[in-house]
Amino acid sequence: MKVLLVGVGGVGEAIAVIAKPRAWVKQIVLADYNAERAKEVQAKLGDQTRFPVEFINASDQQQVEYLAKKYQVDLIMNATDPSYNIPIFDAAYQVGIHYMDMAMTLSEPHPTDPFHKTHIKLGDYQFERSPLWEEKGCLALVGLGIEPGMSDVFARFAQDHLFDEIEEIGIRDGANLEIKGYEFAPTFSIWTTIEECLNPPVIWEQDRGWYTTTPFSEPEIFEFPQGIGAVECVNVEHEEVLLIPRWVKCKRVTFKYGLGEQFINVLKTLKMLGLDNKKPIKVKNVMVAPRDVVAACLPDPAHLGDRMEGKTCAGTWVKGIKDGKPRQVYIYQVADNTDCMKRFQCQAVVAQTAFNPVIGWDLLEHGVWKGKGVLGPEAFDPVPFMEKMAEYGFPYGIKEY
């Protein structure tokens, strides 16, 4: 398999590192707007032929198409912020090759009632074009990171193997990570974090369909495994709520994130000051997006690993009926930062995100997963994916309640 990797930030680097030992990965083109960053990753990988570097402006569809054709790749892996999804997604379609991302095309809130009604939902742009992809015989596998991605695989597994009837599926994410030397330092892209946390969270119910609520609503205390402990989780906009109901039969789907009081207060302040704005404004004759300024002021999550301690947990809580009796389980994956730094020289949050698309490549390359059109992870047999998790160094666990 030959892959055009668009975006060589923290997750992009981890994808390349995790894929490197796999002999069937013939070439990964490291394409980024910051060519020096891509060269830094290339030097770490130690193979200029197998991991060539290219400059790319991900907003330029023709550039993406050009590089895909130049290297005759089989798949375009989108590891950029989701604001670039449309040109990368459309480039893969035009070239006639497979596409994969870890976050779907962005939503737009309802113009008059944003905290009750949906408008343009996450992934709408992509799913509307599924018939065109089917006609071309190409696959766009959307939302295959950790969340969305692994969490969706777990939802399908619960339906197929653990329950006769599912009442509710709730994705729950929490951590006890600490970063030394910084008063505030996100462990993941602040651009994406602002997007998903300040947008109206979406919920799905069988009798109501998709609807929205207010940011940080419905707080609950969730007990995470392996020593992480109790964390307050709140509603956040996330792709699983848009993906799971398409393939998994249940009555309710939510996503809740353990952000913590400090993080929520910072996000609220950014919103209040207008610094969450992703549209450029004029500052002293320079056009700049306030959100980009915020991201530039904060440390790069890719370089925080040696200052980070603790664990991060992602997983899928499921409530329903099995053999006529009530059942609740939490299917999860815990990544320890010390372990990730030792094995991959990448911090836990990005490493935990990155192994999922590489397993996806593996299953596609070897014909285990097959499909065409625009599909989510739930569309495929979850067992081969879950069997490979331990092989890749990220075993799953199941907690029974």
Side-chain angles (χ1 to χ4, degrees):
M1 176 179 280
K2 296 172 72 175
V3 176
L4 173 60
L5 177 62
V6 184
V8 195
V11 176
E13 173 187 353
I15 286 173
V17 168
I18 292 168
K20 182 183 176 182
R22 314 290 160 179
W24 50 267
V25 179
K26 301 301 181 184
Q27 190 175 55
I28 299 177
V29 182
L30 305 175
D32 200 282
Y33 190 81
N34 183 346
E36 291 305 310
R37 164 63 184 167
K39 289 177 182 177
E40 174 190 330
V41 174
Q42 182 191 60
K44 178 178 178 178
L45 295 165
D47 188 337
Q48 294 185 9
T49 302
R50 193 172 173 217
F51 300 97
V53 166
E54 290 282 356
F55 167 84
I56 195 168
N57 178 352
S59 65
D60 187 335
Q61 181 180 327
Q62 290 186 335
Q63 280 193 36
V64 182
E65 292 179 21
Y66 169 77
L67 288 180
K69 293 174 182 176
K70 176 181 177 180
Y71 288 92
Q72 296 182 312
V73 300
D74 304 294
L75 179 145
I76 295 178
M77 180 71 221
N78 180 358
T80 65
D81 287 327
S83 58
Y84 298 105
N85 278 20
I86 290 176
I88 302 171
F89 174 81
D90 286 347
Y93 172 78
Q94 289 299 330
V95 177
I97 56 177
H98 298 321
Y99 167 90
M100 189 181 293
D101 64 32
M102 297 172 283
M104 300 192 300
T105 48
L106 297 175
S107 66
E108 292 184 17
H110 193 278
T112 59
D113 195 5
F115 301 126
H116 295 94
K117 299 178 181 178
T118 62
H119 181 45
I120 297 175
K121 302 183 299 299
L122 293 169
D124 275 359
Y125 181 92
Q126 291 166 304
F127 281 112
E128 287 167 2
R129 286 154 180 77
S130 186
L132 297 175
W133 282 76
E134 287 185 55
E135 289 172 13
K136 221 168 199 180
C138 293
L139 171 65
L141 179 40
V142 297
L144 188 56
I146 183 75
E147 295 170 337
M150 179 200 74
S151 52
D152 302 80
V153 171
F154 288 169
R156 174 66 187 267
F157 180 80
Q159 173 186 260
D160 292 357
H161 300 282
L162 301 181
F163 289 85
D164 298 322
E165 180 182 337
I166 295 176
E167 181 179 331
E168 183 171 356
I169 296 175
I171 313 306
R172 299 294 182 263
D173 183 303
N176 61 4
L177 294 169
E178 294 183 0
I179 302 171
K180 297 178 180 178
Y182 289 100
E183 190 172 348
F184 179 77
T187 58
F188 201 70
S189 163
I190 188 63
W191 199 103
T192 304
T193 304
I194 290 172
E195 181 72 18
E196 64 189 20
C197 292
L198 291 179
N199 279 351
V202 62
I203 295 170
W204 182 85
E205 293 181 359
Q206 186 179 53
D207 298 331
R208 190 173 172 183
W210 285 294
Y211 67 93
T212 56
T213 182
T214 54
F216 318 120
S217 57
E218 298 182 4
E220 68 175 56
I221 301 298
F222 192 84
E223 189 75 28
F224 288 93
Q226 295 192 21
I228 294 174
V231 177
E232 184 181 74
C233 298
V234 295
N235 279 326
V236 166
E237 181 193 47
H238 234 253
E239 285 86 350
E240 291 93 329
V241 182
L242 287 310
L243 285 167
I244 289 171
R246 297 175 189 268
W247 287 281
V248 178
K249 189 176 180 181
C250 58
K251 296 179 180 177
R252 191 171 196 261
V253 184
T254 61
F255 180 98
K256 292 188 180 183
Y257 197 0
L259 292 169
E261 185 179 2
Q262 183 202 34
F263 209 133
I264 289 174
N265 287 337
V266 168
L267 290 169
K268 287 180 176 178
T269 301
L270 292 174
K271 176 73 173 177
M272 180 176 61
L273 296 174
L275 293 172
D276 63 316
N277 187 2
K278 57 192 175 187
K279 295 182 179 179
I281 61 172
K282 192 172 184 179
V283 182
K284 295 183 178 179
N285 295 319
V286 176
M287 299 300 291
V288 60
R291 192 184 300 187
D292 291 341
V293 175
V294 172
C297 290
L298 290 169
D300 182 354
H303 296 124
L304 290 176
D306 57 350
R307 293 174 175 261
M308 194 183 298
E309 290 182 352
K311 299 176 181 179
T312 182
C313 180
T316 305
W317 166 76
V318 188
K319 177 183 178 181
I321 302 293
K322 178 66 175 177
D323 297 328
K325 298 178 181 179
R327 188 181 196 186
Q328 291 188 52
V329 301
Y330 182 57
I331 316 170
Y332 64 89
Q333 203 293 312
V334 172
D336 185 295
N337 189 68
T338 300
D339 178 56
C340 289
M341 289 298 295
K342 182 179 180 180
R343 290 190 292 137
F344 307 114
Q345 296 78 53
C346 296
Q347 53 104 322
V349 177
V350 298
Q352 191 189 48
T353 303
F355 82 85
N356 300 278
V358 183
I359 291 180
W361 300 356
D362 192 337
L363 297 176
L364 292 175
E365 172 67 11
H366 296 101
V368 180
W369 278 6
K370 298 176 183 178
K372 56 185 178 179
V374 178
L375 300 175
E378 303 88 345
F380 301 91
D381 183 357
V383 173
F385 184 100
M386 293 172 69
E387 288 177 343
K388 282 194 172 288
M389 288 178 64
E391 176 189 329
Y392 276 76
F394 295 87
Y396 70 89
I398 300 180
K399 179 180 178 181
E400 192 97 30
Y401 293 87

